[in-house]
């Protein structure tokens, strides 16, 4: 896949660049550029990111960072079996437990929530940092809901991290998940409160908590531009109709 001329391997994370030192210089630069494109496109165009990840994988499959990037790209396009294989490969290479939660979520994606729940109880979870443990809790709650255990999902999310007033990068998502779980068991008033708390913590706009709040409050938003376009179309249709009538009269 072609890479834009302004993209350089210098944009890659320094730890990843360190891993690429095992490759010949020209090859390392090519791999780095493809990894940069994966990172740039993963959210806005996951299909393209996946394509670049496959190129990087073909060039340097023995580099853990490449396997990890390929895993996230596959995960983003719903190729969970492929993503899980790449994450497992990266974990074997590094010995790190960092990917444990997303590996468990791949099991959910493959329709194996029981496996995800089993992973939530493994010793690896205790080795995760706080963000990783919160992520694992989110995955476990999702697995509970997959299994039809909505009340258990609510309990799974109850934790000191949820009760804390401190705001961390994962706070909005945790509060949002809890609100959604409460709503699923019919506790609407509590759900509204937690959607509001999620919105307060959502400084980067990572959730649609504001939309969920509006929905609960019965507020409907209208798109002014869309309405204007519809009005213009209606006017144009009326104009065409008038011209047609005038033509008929002349005939």
């Amino acid at each position: 896949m072609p890479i834009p001329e302004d993209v350089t391997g210098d944009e890659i994370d320094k730890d990843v660049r360190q891993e690429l030192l095992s490759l010949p210089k020209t090859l390392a630069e090519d791999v780095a550029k493809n990894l940069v494109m994966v990172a740039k496109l993963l959210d806005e165009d996951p299909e393209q990111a996946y394509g670049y990840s496959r190129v990087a994988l073909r060039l340097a499959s023995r580099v853990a960072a490449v396997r990890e990037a390929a895993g996230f790209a596959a995960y983003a396009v719903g190729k969970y079996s492929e993503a899980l294989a790449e994450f497992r490969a990266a974990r074997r290479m590094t010995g790190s437990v960092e990917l444990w939660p997303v590996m468990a979520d791949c099991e959910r994606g493959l329709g194996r929530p029981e496996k995800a729940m089993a992973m939530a109880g493994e010793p690896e979870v205790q080795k995760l940092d706080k963000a990783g443990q919160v992520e694992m809790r989110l995955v476990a709650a999702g697995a509970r809901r997959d299994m039809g255990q909505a009340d258990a999902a609510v309990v799974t999310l109850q934790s000191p991290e949820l009760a804390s007033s401190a705001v961390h990068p994962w706070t909005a998502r945790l509060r949002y998940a809890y609100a959604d779980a409460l709503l699923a068991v019919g506790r609407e008033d509590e759900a509204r409160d937690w959607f509001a708390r999620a919105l307060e913590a959502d400084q980067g706009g990572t959730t649609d908590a504001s939309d969920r709040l509006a929905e609960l409050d019965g507020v409907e938003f209208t798109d002014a531009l869309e309405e204007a376009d519809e009005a213009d179309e209606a006017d144009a249709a009326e104009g065409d109709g008038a011209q047609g009538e005038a033509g008929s009269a002349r005939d």
Side-chain angles (χ1 to χ4, degrees):
M1 297 180 67
I3 294 175
E5 293 182 3
D6 61 339
V7 172
T8 69
D10 294 336
E11 299 175 60
I12 205 72
D13 180 89
K14 65 179 182 179
D15 292 332
V16 176
R17 178 161 288 282
Q18 187 69 29
E19 283 192 58
L20 297 179
L21 289 178
S22 62
L23 303 174
K25 185 175 181 180
T26 301
L27 179 59
E29 185 66 17
D30 288 343
V31 173
K33 287 180 179 179
N34 278 282
L35 292 181
V36 167
M37 293 305 297
V38 173
K40 285 178 177 290
L41 295 169
L42 196 58
D43 291 330
E44 62 185 64
D45 192 343
E47 288 290 347
Q48 278 230 56
Y50 176 75
Y52 283 109
S53 77
R54 300 309 294 175
V55 175
L57 192 59
R58 190 167 62 248
L59 294 173
S61 62
R62 295 185 180 182
V63 176
V66 170
R67 303 303 289 265
E68 183 175 328
F72 277 110
Y75 178 81
V77 295
K79 296 179 182 289
Y80 299 115
S81 181
E82 189 176 309
L84 186 56
E86 298 301 340
F87 290 142
R88 283 173 174 165
R91 183 166 179 264
R92 282 195 302 270
M93 292 175 178
T94 63
S96 171
V97 298
E98 183 180 339
L99 296 170
W100 196 253
V102 71
M103 289 169 63
D105 206 37
C106 285
E107 296 288 2
R108 285 185 61 212
L110 290 168
R112 302 193 293 246
E114 297 86 356
K115 177 63 176 175
M117 282 304 306
M119 291 179 69
E122 294 290 337
E124 283 82 354
V125 177
Q126 303 307 315
K127 301 175 185 177
L128 293 167
D129 61 13
K130 183 61 67 178
Q133 290 182 7
V134 169
E135 196 64 37
M136 193 69 241
R137 192 176 290 277
L138 289 169
V139 173
R144 288 291 190 191
R145 291 184 67 172
D146 294 343
M147 296 160 66
Q149 301 172 4
D151 287 304
V154 172
V155 175
T156 298
L157 292 167
Q158 292 170 349
S159 61
E161 293 80 21
L162 180 68
S164 173
S165 59
V167 174
H168 301 278
W170 38 260
T171 301
R173 291 178 57 238
L174 179 59
R175 293 177 180 178
Y176 181 96
Y178 188 58
D180 198 41
L182 287 169
L183 195 59
V185 296
R187 294 161 63 176
E188 187 171 310
D189 289 342
E190 292 174 81
R192 192 204 177 285
D193 179 47
W194 280 99
F195 276 128
R197 295 190 194 188
L199 183 59
E200 288 174 5
D202 195 0
Q203 300 168 355
T206 57
T207 73
D208 64 346
S210 60
D211 293 339
R212 300 297 297 275
L213 273 172
E215 184 181 335
L216 287 172
D217 291 340
V219 177
E220 292 186 10
F221 294 103
T222 57
D223 189 326
L225 290 176
E226 187 175 318
E227 286 187 344
D229 289 342
E230 290 176 355
D232 290 341
E233 288 176 6
D235 290 343
E238 288 179 7
D240 290 344
Q243 289 178 4
E245 290 176 5
S248 297
R250 284 197 298 273
D251 293 342

